[in-house]
Amino acid sequence: MKVPKRIQPLVDDGLIDEVISQLMSGKEATVYMVRCGDDVRCAKVYKEAIKRSFKKAAQYQEGRNAEVDALYKLAEAGVRVPQPFGCFDGVLLMELVTDDAGDVAPRLNDVVMPAEQALEDHTLVMHYVKLMLCAGIIHGDLSEFNVLVDDYGPVIIDLPQAVDASAN
């Protein structure tokens, strides 16, 4: 795949060796599967805030920073989130969550599971919510679209709306 312009500096610096494919694109970012040495990771490329008002551009930048900070804090607190490897000029490098076969883990919305497994995963997500609160973070958009499910259970993703629990 052709290297997107925003990822090229990371390739030039040796942080990314190859862009394998695009995983998804949304209003805030495009996510790519990339190879970094022997590891396959994902690169979340935040969209430019060029045509936004100053206020909206500032909010957008805060969202990026909130996500990166939240990933580090939550990983340290024991919440299953993709492991962050750093944010470089608007490109967040992080763990690619996969199943045991190496396929990208599906969103909870796309998974059918037995009731017993659903109850177990729900209990685990509620535990993660408690850990998030103890870490001072509220997800801000926790839904079945922002939880991946791999062979080991739920993984919380997409945290640009993360907010400080004490102020909200």
Side-chain angles (χ1 to χ4, degrees):
M1 173 177 185
K2 183 180 179 205
V3 176
K5 183 175 122 179
R6 299 274 308 284
I7 292 180
Q8 188 62 53
L10 282 75
V11 172
D12 295 342
D13 290 344
L15 295 168
I16 294 176
D17 296 307
E18 174 188 11
V19 177
I20 300 168
S21 65
Q22 180 179 314
L23 293 175
M24 61 81 59
S25 184
K27 64 182 182 212
E28 296 174 345
T30 302
V31 180
Y32 296 90
M33 183 184 310
V34 298
R35 187 176 57 77
C36 304
D38 293 333
D39 298 320
V40 176
R41 296 182 177 158
C42 67
K44 184 172 187 175
V45 179
Y46 293 98
K47 293 190 176 172
E48 301 271 4
I50 294 172
K51 296 183 180 175
R52 301 172 193 254
S53 68
F54 177 76
K55 182 180 178 185
K56 290 198 181 213
Q59 290 171 341
Y60 183 74
Q61 184 64 36
E62 286 173 18
R64 288 184 189 179
N65 294 337
E67 180 164 32
V68 174
D69 292 345
L71 283 171
Y72 281 106
K73 279 184 183 176
L74 294 178
E76 188 169 316
V79 177
R80 278 197 76 210
V81 294
Q83 178 185 355
F85 296 108
C87 191
F88 311 90
D89 296 323
V91 179
L92 173 60
L93 275 178
M94 59 186 158
E95 170 189 9
L96 178 67
V97 180
T98 61
D99 60 20
D100 280 346
D103 296 321
V104 176
R107 292 176 184 228
L108 179 59
N109 183 65
D110 299 322
V111 174
V112 176
M113 64 179 73
E116 184 176 306
Q117 185 64 52
L119 289 170
E120 187 178 312
D121 284 0
H122 178 267
T123 299
L124 195 49
V125 169
M126 292 301 100
H127 177 67
Y128 292 156
V129 169
K130 288 182 214 170
L131 292 176
M132 285 188 249
L133 285 171
C134 290
I137 295 172
I138 296 172
H139 187 289
D141 189 21
L142 187 59
S143 72
E144 69 274 21
F145 299 101
N146 291 327
V147 177
L148 300 179
V149 181
D150 68 7
D151 295 325
Y152 305 98
V155 180
I156 308 295
I157 63 164
D158 204 18
L159 290 147
Q161 290 85 19
V163 293
D164 178 3
S166 66
N168 290 278

